[in-house]
Amino acid sequence: MAVSIDAYLTPFFHEHESLFEDSAVVMIDVFRASTTVAVALMNGAREVIPVETLEKAVKIYNSLSKEVRFLGGERNCLKPSGFDAGNSPLDYTKDNVYGKSVILTTTNGTRIFQKAKQARSRIVGSFVNLNAVIEYLTGQIENSDDNLKIIFMCAGNDDRLSYEDILCAGAFISALESIYSDNYISDPAMAAMSLYKQHSKELSAFLKQREHALKLSHLGFEQDIELCLSFDICPVIPLIEGSSIKKYENKTIYI
Ligand code: MLT
């Protein structure tokens, strides 16, 4: 099976109509939006609604009934005033989000979740759900009659490249490369994989010293950093459909 793998290492690219046709896109914002989405869905949120602006988030929140709504997000990594939670995945506990619509607005992550609407499927990936995402992608590849492109999209930070997102893309690409021998790997995807391989043995220690982790740590979010850098603790597949993100359930019925 020939697999074509590509990556966008920053959110800065010209998005034209056909760019994501025939592709499955994985959206990555390790610190912390992708991780928060995976944790919220694992803890039973019925959906996460990603929103770009604070105003729109509050408007959607006000339109929902009290029992089923939860408003979260950050600006400059901190909880906006009046919100139920910030962007710490630790705030998205079962007690807080079970059965609720989580409205989430963050600086970088929720912006990329709006991209690639023409793709065949869009999912949210991070270290915490790495294997679940790989299983989903292999299923999509095996069930596709034609060549499916797999694209990794990194949120970056303030329109600039960020190391944790690239290394996470590299971890996905490396896993796919070990399954499929006949691959086309684009230059950005190859760069992400090479960097991941270079740092895989001391991934956590290395990323803890990079820009975003240092900023989070300075603000007292050390536990978030640990959680965001833990592999496979949230085995869910957050699937973006229309304006919301829901847990993908494999609906195949075997008889
Ligand atoms: C973002 O979307 O910019 C981030 O998730 C920021 C953060 O809360 O660390």
Side-chain angles (χ1 to χ4, degrees):
M1 172 91 47
V3 179
S4 154
I5 304 172
D6 198 359
Y8 288 83
L9 303 184
T10 74
F12 251 142
F13 54 87
H14 177 58
E15 186 168 357
H16 57 83
E17 277 284 292
S18 59
L19 204 55
F20 298 103
E21 262 175 18
D22 305 324
S23 62
V25 180
V26 181
M27 316 281 197
I28 302 171
D29 183 14
V30 172
F31 293 143
R32 296 165 287 175
S34 291
T35 307
T36 295
V37 168
V39 170
L41 292 178
M42 187 184 73
N43 284 334
R46 66 176 291 271
E47 63 179 341
V48 177
I49 303 173
V51 179
E52 286 185 74
T53 64
L54 295 173
E55 296 69 28
K56 196 170 168 202
V58 171
K59 200 170 164 199
I60 297 174
Y61 179 76
N62 287 335
S63 72
L64 299 172
S65 70
K66 278 197 175 82
E67 306 73 49
V68 297
R69 65 188 187 184
F70 190 81
L71 181 59
E74 58 72 36
R75 284 300 177 269
N76 217 6
C77 296
L78 298 173
K79 177 164 91 100
S81 123
F83 273 41
D84 297 321
N87 192 24
S88 167
L90 294 166
D91 290 342
Y92 295 74
T93 58
K94 203 168 178 183
D95 277 354
N96 281 341
V97 302
Y98 190 85
K100 294 190 181 165
S101 290
V102 171
I103 302 119
L104 184 70
T105 177
T106 74
T107 317
N108 302 288
T110 53
R111 264 194 321 168
I112 60 158
F113 300 157
Q114 319 291 334
K115 291 185 183 283
K117 292 202 168 77
Q118 327 82 330
R120 272 195 218 168
S121 67
R122 297 182 294 153
I123 57 171
V124 175
S126 200
F127 290 115
V128 295
N129 65 346
L130 195 125
N131 265 325
V133 167
I134 292 296
E135 269 175 38
Y136 172 83
L137 293 175
T138 51
Q140 298 293 301
I141 293 165
E142 308 298 334
N143 290 323
S144 168
D145 296 335
D146 49 2
N147 276 346
L148 178 69
K149 268 190 289 177
I150 307 293
I151 300 180
F152 296 92
M153 193 182 290
C154 299
N157 218 356
D158 297 331
D159 296 332
R160 300 171 71 221
L161 175 156
S162 90
Y163 234 123
E164 64 279 0
D165 295 342
I166 291 183
L167 294 194
C168 186
F172 283 120
I173 296 161
S174 167
L176 285 177
E177 197 221 17
S178 67
I179 301 170
Y180 298 101
S181 49
D182 187 9
N183 291 306
Y184 166 78
I185 303 184
S186 71
D187 279 2
M190 183 62 82
M193 183 168 66
S194 302
L195 283 173
Y196 169 71
K197 287 183 174 169
Q198 185 184 334
H199 293 290
S200 63
K201 290 205 170 62
E202 29 77 65
L203 191 83
S204 182
F206 175 75
L207 288 178
K208 282 178 186 167
Q209 294 307 317
R210 299 313 316 142
E211 286 180 27
H212 201 148
L214 290 177
K215 181 173 181 188
L216 288 172
S217 151
H218 180 72
L219 292 166
F221 293 118
E222 281 88 356
Q223 282 185 301
D224 287 12
I225 300 169
E226 287 297 337
L227 190 153
C228 293
L229 297 178
S230 303
F231 281 77
D232 296 317
I233 55 169
C234 297
V236 292
I237 300 150
L239 181 69
I240 307 177
E241 277 186 314
S243 58
S244 96
I245 309 175
K246 292 194 171 129
K247 198 158 100 179
Y248 170 81
E249 315 276 2
N250 192 343
K251 296 198 179 75
T252 313
I253 299 166
Y254 297 98
I255 27 178

